[in-house]
C-alpha cells in the first residue's frame, strides 16, 4: 500500500465552498471511481487548509484513478459550477508516502 497526503490551501472566504463541494459531490465521485479516502481533516488553527490521505495499491493505481477523476464528466461540471464566482483552491500539495517499516499500529 501507498498513501498520498494532499494539502489544499483555499482562497480566502472559500472554506465553506470547498467543504460543501467535497461533502455533496467530490467524495461521491471518488467512491464511484473506486478511490479510497483514508482520512480527512480541516485545520484546527483556522488556516484555510484541508488535509486528506488517499490509499492505493500502488503508484499505477493512483495515476489511473486521478486520470479518471480529472476526465470525469460529473467532476468537470461540478468544478465549473462551483467556481463560477472564482477559483476555490489556491494550491494543492501532493506527498506520496509508505508506512515506515518500524511502526506497528
Amino acid at each position: 500500500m501507498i498513501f498520498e497526503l494532499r494539502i489544499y490551501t483555499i482562497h480566502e472566504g472559500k472554506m465553506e465552498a470547498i467543504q460543501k463541494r467535497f461533502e455533496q459531490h467530490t467524495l461521491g465521485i471518488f467512491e464511484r471511481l473506486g478511490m479510497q479516502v483514508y482520512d480527512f481533516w480541516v485545520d484546527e488553527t483556522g488556516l484555510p487548509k484541508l488535509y486528506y490521505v488517499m490509499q492505493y495499491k500502488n503508484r499505477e493505481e493512483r495515476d489511473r484513478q486521478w486520470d479518471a477523476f480529472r476526465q470525469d464528466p460529473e467532476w468537470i461540471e461540478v468544478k465549473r459550477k462551483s467556481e463560477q464566482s472564482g477559483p476555490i483552491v489556491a494550491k494543492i500539495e501532493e506527498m506520496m508516502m509508505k508506512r515506515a517499516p518500524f511502526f506497528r499500529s
Side-chain angles (χ1 to χ4, degrees):
M1 285 291 173
I2 63 170
F3 299 86
E4 179 180 18
L5 170 62
R6 297 179 64 87
I7 302 172
Y8 287 31
T9 302
I10 309 305
H11 283 290
E12 186 175 334
K14 300 286 187 166
M15 277 300 288
E16 186 177 329
I18 190 69
Q19 290 180 41
K20 181 178 176 182
R21 186 166 79 183
F22 267 101
E23 180 181 10
Q24 295 180 358
H25 303 285
T26 310
L27 292 174
I29 297 169
F30 283 175
E31 184 176 350
R32 177 171 49 78
L33 295 175
M35 300 172 77
Q36 185 176 351
V37 178
Y38 186 76
D39 212 335
F40 212 109
W41 303 269
V42 294
D43 194 273
E44 190 271 333
T45 67
L47 291 174
K49 291 185 179 271
L50 292 179
Y51 310 87
Y52 66 103
V53 174
M54 303 290 288
Q55 180 176 326
Y56 314 100
K57 292 177 187 168
N58 53 45
R59 186 63 184 244
E60 292 76 25
E61 178 185 70
R62 183 258 182 214
D63 293 344
R64 187 173 52 255
Q65 288 178 343
W66 279 105
D67 287 345
F69 177 78
R70 283 188 286 275
Q71 297 172 28
D72 185 80
E74 181 183 357
W75 165 245
I76 292 167
E77 184 63 10
V78 163
K79 186 175 188 308
R80 184 190 69 75
K81 284 183 177 179
S82 66
E83 294 187 342
Q84 286 179 336
S85 63
I88 294 174
V89 179
K91 178 181 173 185
I92 299 174
E93 299 171 72
E94 303 166 344
M95 295 162 216
M96 300 306 296
M97 307 174 296
K98 62 181 180 178
R99 174 100 1 123
F102 57 84
F103 181 75
R104 306 283 185 254
S105 60

